[in-house]
């Protein structure tokens, strides 16, 4: 079985992809919105999937005009809503099976 290679991006590449400054990325990390692979490293590396999370955070900040703390809370709440919807759907399927 072939091992899957993890794809990472550096700070500069992440900032370029989502059009933010390195200072904004530092703020995003400090609020726990994303986390580099090794916070102590001289050059942060991020899993490529986090590019989407950072882009989402940046859109929330720009569209809603809220600070990074508000963005972190909004993302946490959106994640919780998603989890609750999945749980609700699973319970509905279970009820339907029981009703048969």
């Amino acid at each position: 079985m072939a091992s899957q290679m993890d794809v990472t991006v550096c700070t500069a590449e992440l900032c370029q992809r989502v059009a933010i400054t390195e200072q904004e990325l530092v703020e995003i990390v400090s609020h726990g919105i994303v986390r580099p692979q090794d916070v102590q490293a001289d050059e942060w590396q991020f899993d490529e999937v986090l590019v989407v999370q950072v882009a989402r955070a940046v859109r929330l900040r720009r569209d809603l005009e809220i600070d990074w703390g508000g963005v972190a809370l909004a993302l946490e709440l959106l994640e919780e809503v998603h989890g609750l919807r999945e749980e609700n759907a699973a319970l509905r399927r279970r009820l339907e099976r029981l009703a048969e």
Side-chain angles (χ1 to χ4, degrees), residues 6-66:
D6 292 330
V7 178
T8 61
V9 295
C10 67
T11 299
E13 184 176 355
L14 177 58
C15 290
Q16 182 180 13
R17 284 191 188 184
V18 295
I20 59 171
T21 66
E22 287 190 20
Q23 180 57 40
E24 287 174 305
L25 182 58
V26 169
E27 290 181 52
I28 290 169
V29 169
S30 72
H31 283 90
I33 296 169
V34 296
R35 184 171 174 82
Q37 290 180 345
D38 181 3
V39 177
Q40 303 302 319
D42 290 336
E43 174 67 29
W44 284 347
Q45 295 290 317
F46 297 87
D47 291 328
E48 188 174 44
V49 296
L50 293 180
V51 173
V52 173
Q53 182 75 356
V54 172
R56 189 176 190 195
V58 169
R59 272 193 316 275
L60 279 171
R61 178 171 167 83
R62 290 180 183 156
D63 293 351
L64 301 178
E65 298 178 359
I66 55 177

